Amino acid sequence: MWEGLGLQVFLVSLGYVLFSAAASSAPLERAHRRHLSLHRHRERAGKEGQVLHRSKRGWVWNQFFVIEEYTGPDPVLVGRLHSDVDAGDGSCRYILSGEGAGTIFVIDDKTGNIHATKTLDREEQAQYTLTAQAVDRDTSKPLEPPSEFIVKVQDINDNPPVFLHGPYYARVPEMSNVGTSVMQVTATDADDPTYGNSARLVYSILQGQPYFSVEPQTGIIRTALPNMDREARQEYDVVIQAKDMGGHMGGLSGTTEVKITLTDVNDNPPKFPQSVYPMSVSEDKVPGEEVGRLKAKDPDLAENGLVSYRFVDGGDGMTVFEITTDTDTREGVIKLRKLVDYETKKAYTLRVEASNTHVDPRFIAWGPYKDTATVKVTVEDADEPPAFIATSYTFEVEENAPNGTVVGRVHAKDTDSAGNPVRYMIPRYTDVEQFFSVGPDDGIIKTTRPLDREALPWHNISVSATEIGGHHQDTKVRVNIKVKDVNDNAPEFATNYEVLVCENVSPGKLIGTVSAVDKDEIGQRQYFHFSIAPEAVNNQNFSLKDNRDSTASVYVTRRGFSRMSQDKYFLPIEIHDNGIPPMSSTNTLTIRVCSCDSKDTILSCNVEPYILPAGLSTGALIAILACIVILLAIVVLFVALRRQKKEPLIVFEEEDIRENIITYDDEGGGEEDTEAFDIATLQNPDGANGFLPRKDIKPEFQYPMRPGGHTAANSVDVDDFIKTRVTDADNDPTAPPYDSIQIYGYEGRGSIAGSLSSLESVTTDSDLDYDYLQSWGPRFKKLADLYGTKDSVDDNS
């Protein structure tokens, strides 16, 4: 606290209504002076009366206010700072710091007047916190401690209301009561709601009356008319206004659009556009076919407009027809349930009811939600095909009956009123082999050939009847013909029997049982009788017993059989049936003699082991064949080895002896050079082109002797030696190969091996004389040319 100091704060407030800019500093200063004088008077009274008071600080603070959006020509005076220590001689300097100090707010350091230099917007910043301090102008020492104060920006109505979420969309059911809430709209105002009426909003409706209204304070939109019908009008465009200043004149406003849609309710019953619907159906229509459609109109939507249809009256027509609902088109579909006959009944009258599936209980008093209409169905005459009296026919005929035997008769007639005659025929695809024929006029079916029951006991054919005249329509009927059996097949063995009997069989032993079958039908009292054929009745080996149950037993009548003498016996047996006429056949039973043990167990029925001579067994034959195969394998191997040892006639490259003989006069690395040098490069490339020297013929002399040339003293020995050896080899026909001397006279076409070091010794300073090489013949021509031309080379150089 500052003792003896007082700061008077001059507050300039323009109030809610902005006064003239000219009435600014003078009246305000007078007011502050009065405030200051009053303060000092109270202090003096206290001193004179010796009344002690608590000392007050020299700053008297209050909030400063400045109006926003001030656009005057001069900076607006915010207030004035004054300290009691300021003697008015200019020694006191006022300093201002804080938010906006120096940029928005400036202070006169002598007088303490604070001005706002810029236009302020409360919506950007509502208040500023500043710090004021009085210091000595010369020393800059504080005369009083600094203190903070607030400059509040006073709001004016400069922002209109805004609907942030518009446009709006709302739905309300049709036929709603008056006052039904539709939705609430809300606007916002950026002005200060705590100061004045700048942010106090009032809502009103500009468009949409008299259908809707809005509550002024809340913005709730409500219905204003009863019984608004969606079918009459479905959508409404409503404009809502929000105005500040409490809705008074001079306030700012904003608007928004609300699109309100009436939703559907079931408030309309279905209605048939006409009371009577004529329809027709042809008598040739089949059940399930559509007869006609009718529709009751309902303007409601979705499930509110669903309509169902049913018959409520119609007599016997309710069983002939049926009605269903097409959910896609909302139509009633009348279909045929049974066949109709023009000749029986020509018209039907039906009563159809259409009703809503879903009824709103709020509007049930507006009902009934159904309607009825009359449907008159006329049956049209159609040219129908003939109709058979029966749906199918079954006849019987004996097998083997002669051609033309009557099987039965089918009958059809024309059901139309014209009564046209009918013609019959058998479709060929039902009687491919044409066993039957039908009379075209009378429908009598006859056979065309004898029938065999055993081949085909049933014949299933069709007979068609076609109307003569009209549209030649036809109809078909199924005819089943059964072929009755006649005893025309003799019985026979059920299978090819073969009975086995042991060689040591005892007389009277049962060795087998036979049975018979008959292709004809076997009745309950029918049986077969077995007997030995007359030509074998006197045989002494076997006997036959009829068991009276369509089987017979075979017995042995002699002791012992021998397979060596006879291994098979044939017993003819006659089989008779008791049919009319009776039939019989002779069948042969085969009896095979077998070797058995003491328990009559059959060991073998094969007679071959007794026929084979007592010689080599099968194992011995296999051993002999194995030895023969081994010997053949040895011979083949020996021949193959002999062929491998035979010399080939052609000398192949890999066997060329020149690859194994390396001879050259070189003063290089000696033996080590043979490992690095590829001797194959010295081979004649003509051999790669298919030319290979033959060893089985005498070689021809390829190079003629070149006459002349100087011969060295010791060259005769070498030349004679070579020629002698060549002559001996050529003339000796018994010593192959005929020519083993390899020829190195071919120099090549530019071998990749390069030249040997000794061949280039011609360029060295050697004193040796190689002219004698000229006399060695053509085989040493290259050496003679290389080493025997030293003088000429020197001369040329």
Side-chain angles (χ1 to χ4, degrees):
M1 303 296 291
W2 294 341
E3 297 295 338
L5 296 179
L7 175 62
Q8 298 298 323
V9 179
F10 299 94
L11 173 63
V12 178
S13 175
L14 298 181
Y16 180 77
V17 180
L18 181 62
F19 296 101
S20 174
S24 58
S25 59
L28 293 174
E29 288 179 358
R30 287 196 295 269
H32 287 294
R33 288 194 186 101
R34 288 195 295 269
H35 177 71
L36 178 60
S37 300
L38 178 61
H39 176 69
R40 290 180 177 177
H41 174 74
R42 289 177 179 176
E43 285 187 351
R44 285 196 299 269
K47 290 180 180 180
E48 293 174 356
Q50 296 298 322
V51 179
L52 299 178
H53 295 277
R54 180 180 178 182
S55 61
K56 298 180 180 179
R57 59 176 296 162
W59 297 94
V60 178
W61 291 110
N62 209 334
Q63 290 182 342
F64 289 167
F65 293 87
V66 59
I67 195 167
E68 69 170 335
E69 304 294 345
Y70 175 71
T71 58
D74 299 325
V76 61
L77 178 62
V78 178
R80 182 177 183 181
L81 301 179
H82 184 73
S83 176
D84 291 343
V85 299
D86 185 4
D89 55 0
S91 62
C92 180
R93 182 166 63 91
Y94 296 97
I95 299 174
L96 186 66
S97 61
E99 294 179 327
T103 56
I104 300 176
F105 302 101
V106 295
I107 187 171
D108 188 336
D109 61 353
K110 293 181 180 181
T111 63
N113 292 335
I114 301 175
H115 290 83
T117 62
K118 295 182 179 180
T119 300
L120 302 181
D121 188 359
R122 189 200 66 83
E123 285 71 36
E124 292 184 0
Q125 188 167 349
Q127 65 181 21
Y128 297 85
T129 301
L130 300 171
T131 302
Q133 189 175 20
V135 299
D136 187 270
R137 184 175 296 277
D138 296 330
T139 62
S140 298
K141 292 183 178 180
L143 300 178
E144 292 184 6
S147 293
E148 290 185 352
F149 65 94
I150 297 174
V151 177
K152 287 190 174 182
V153 181
Q154 189 175 8
D155 183 47
I156 65 173
N157 189 21
D158 59 342
N159 291 281
V162 177
F163 291 92
L164 299 179
H165 302 95
Y168 297 88
Y169 298 90
R171 300 165 66 89
V172 63
E174 63 173 334
M175 299 298 172
S176 297
N177 297 326
V178 176
T180 301
S181 175
V182 178
M183 72 173 303
Q184 182 180 15
V185 294
T186 303
T188 59
D189 196 320
D191 293 326
D192 189 0
T194 63
Y195 179 77
N197 295 326
S198 299
R200 189 165 70 89
L201 306 181
V202 174
Y203 298 93
S204 61
I205 184 168
L206 300 182
Q207 177 181 321
Q209 295 175 330
Y211 307 103
F212 299 94
S213 62
V214 62
E215 293 183 357
Q217 305 301 326
T218 61
I220 297 177
I221 302 173
R222 300 181 183 274
T223 58
L225 282 182
N227 301 329
M228 286 192 293
D229 192 2
R230 183 199 66 82
E231 289 73 27
R233 183 177 177 182
Q234 184 174 359
E235 293 185 350
Y236 296 84
D237 293 327
V238 178
V239 178
I240 302 297
Q241 174 185 268
K243 191 173 183 179
D244 58 14
M245 298 299 292
H248 294 93
M249 184 177 297
L252 303 178
S253 64
T255 61
T256 186
E257 183 179 352
V258 181
K259 186 177 288 296
I260 301 176
T261 302
L262 298 182
T263 58
D264 185 61
V265 298
N266 190 9
D267 58 338
N268 294 281
K271 185 69 176 177
F272 284 108
Q274 57 195 69
S275 59
V276 178
Y277 289 84
M279 298 181 184
S280 61
V281 60
S282 178
E283 64 176 341
D284 59 354
K285 297 296 184 180
V286 297
E289 291 196 37
E290 182 178 321
V291 177
R293 291 176 177 240
L294 71 164
K295 182 177 182 180
K297 294 184 179 181
D298 190 333
D300 295 325
L301 301 177
E303 66 177 11
N304 296 320
L306 293 180
V307 179
S308 63
Y309 300 87
R310 68 187 184 97
F311 290 135
V312 294
D313 190 14
D316 58 349
M318 299 178 64
T319 61
V320 177
F321 301 94
E322 62 181 358
I323 187 169
T324 59
T325 302
D326 188 336
T327 57
D328 296 331
T329 62
R330 297 184 179 180
E331 293 177 318
V333 182
I334 299 177
K335 296 181 180 180
L336 194 64
R337 178 181 292 180
K338 296 181 180 180
L339 292 175
V340 293
D341 188 8
Y342 174 80
E343 289 74 22
T344 304
K345 189 171 184 178
K346 297 178 175 60
Y348 295 87
T349 300
L350 304 170
R351 192 76 174 167
V352 179
E353 179 186 85
S355 60
N356 281 133
T357 305
H358 302 87
V359 178
D360 195 333
R362 295 176 299 174
F363 309 102
I364 195 169
W366 297 12
Y369 287 87
K370 59 184 177 180
D371 192 17
T372 58
T374 302
V375 177
K376 293 185 176 182
V377 182
T378 302
V379 180
E380 297 178 347
D381 188 19
D383 188 9
E384 298 177 291
F388 283 94
I389 297 177
T391 56
S392 64
Y393 295 88
T394 301
F395 302 118
E396 292 183 353
V397 62
E398 289 187 355
E399 67 173 329
N400 302 324
N403 299 348
T405 301
V406 175
V407 177
R409 181 183 181 183
V410 295
H411 181 67
K413 64 178 181 178
D414 184 14
T415 57
D416 295 327
S417 58
N420 293 324
V422 175
R423 183 177 298 275
Y424 303 93
M425 64 172 293
I426 298 176
R428 288 300 93 188
Y429 65 88
T430 64
D431 186 19
V432 178
E433 299 185 16
Q434 301 182 10
F435 289 106
F436 306 95
S437 65
V438 62
D441 299 323
D442 54 12
I444 297 177
I445 302 174
K446 299 180 181 180
T447 61
T448 59
R449 69 183 73 174
L451 304 179
D452 186 3
R453 189 204 64 85
E454 288 72 32
L456 191 61
W458 282 89
H459 293 266
N460 300 315
I461 65 173
S462 295
V463 176
S464 68
T466 305
E467 179 184 353
I468 300 176
H471 295 84
H472 300 283
Q473 297 191 71
D474 66 338
T475 185
K476 297 180 178 61
V477 68
R478 191 74 173 175
V479 178
N480 305 313
I481 302 174
K482 178 182 180 181
V483 181
K484 298 172 62 177
D485 184 49
V486 174
N487 191 24
D488 57 346
N489 291 278
E492 58 186 9
F493 277 154
T495 184
N496 293 327
Y497 290 103
E498 184 180 62
V499 178
L500 304 180
V501 60
C502 295
E503 289 181 304
N504 55 353
V505 65
S506 300
K509 181 176 180 59
L510 174 66
I511 61 175
T513 302
V514 294
S515 62
V517 294
D518 195 332
K519 294 180 181 179
D520 295 323
E521 289 183 348
I522 300 177
Q524 295 181 355
R525 297 183 179 181
Q526 186 174 1
Y527 64 91
F528 303 112
H529 174 70
F530 297 84
S531 62
I532 297 177
E535 62 270 18
V537 171
N538 297 324
N539 81 89
Q540 303 298 321
N541 300 320
F542 307 99
S543 64
L544 183 68
K545 177 184 179 182
D546 191 348
N547 297 325
R548 302 292 182 178
D549 58 356
S550 298
T551 63
S553 302
V554 181
Y555 294 90
V556 178
T557 58
R558 57 172 281 186
R559 179 183 297 275
F561 293 89
S562 175
R563 284 190 298 164
M564 295 299 296
S565 58
Q566 186 175 351
D567 63 332
K568 287 183 180 180
Y569 293 87
F570 300 99
L571 180 64
I573 299 176
E574 284 187 354
I575 307 175
H576 301 264
D577 63 15
N578 60 346
I580 300 174
M583 303 293 292
S584 65
S585 65
T586 301
N587 298 263
T588 302
L589 175 66
T590 302
I591 303 173
R592 182 184 294 274
V593 180
C594 301
S595 173
C596 303
D597 58 9
S598 59
K599 297 181 180 180
D600 292 339
T601 301
I602 297 176
L603 300 177
S604 174
C605 296
N606 192 358
V607 74
E608 281 74 8
Y610 295 92
I611 299 175
L612 290 176
L616 295 176
S617 64
T618 304
L621 292 175
I622 294 175
I624 293 173
L625 291 176
C627 293
I628 294 174
V629 171
I630 294 173
L631 290 176
L632 290 176
I634 294 174
V635 172
V636 171
L637 180 62
F638 176 76
V639 172
L641 293 176
R642 289 294 301 270
R643 288 184 178 180
Q644 289 182 358
K645 292 181 179 180
K646 187 176 181 180
E647 290 269 350
L649 300 179
I650 303 298
V651 179
F652 296 95
E653 291 181 359
E654 61 270 14
E655 299 177 357
D656 198 340
I657 195 171
R658 287 179 293 183
E659 295 184 2
N660 301 323
I661 300 177
I662 304 173
T663 303
Y664 58 92
D665 293 334
D666 186 23
E667 298 179 357
E671 293 294 333
E672 295 178 357
D673 285 350
T674 62
E675 298 177 2
F677 179 70
D678 187 8
I679 193 61
T681 58
L682 294 178
Q683 295 180 359
N684 190 341
D686 293 339
N689 297 331
F691 174 77
L692 295 175
R694 298 286 301 275
K695 291 186 177 183
D696 59 339
I697 62 174
K698 180 179 180 180
E700 298 179 358
F701 188 73
Q702 298 179 2
Y703 299 96
M705 295 294 294
R706 187 175 68 176
H710 179 70
T711 305
N714 58 349
S715 64
V716 177
D717 298 335
V718 176
D719 190 24
D720 292 342
F721 172 76
I722 293 175
K723 291 181 178 179
T724 302
R725 294 299 301 272
V726 170
T727 302
D728 295 340
D730 291 342
N731 295 329
D732 187 2
T734 61
Y738 298 101
D739 188 0
S740 62
I741 302 299
Q742 306 300 321
I743 300 174
Y744 295 93
Y746 183 79
E747 186 66 17
R749 301 188 182 95
S751 175
I752 61 175
S755 61
L756 300 177
S757 61
S758 61
L759 298 180
E760 296 188 5
S761 61
V762 66
T763 60
T764 61
D765 297 335
S766 176
D767 295 333
L768 297 177
D769 185 8
Y770 296 99
D771 291 340
Y772 62 88
L773 294 175
Q774 298 290 341
S775 62
W776 283 17
R779 292 183 177 86
F780 299 92
K781 182 178 181 299
K782 289 295 182 180
L783 291 176
D785 293 339
L786 292 174
Y787 291 90
T789 59
K790 179 179 180 182
D791 296 337
S792 62
V793 171
D794 294 339
D795 295 340
N796 294 333
S797 62

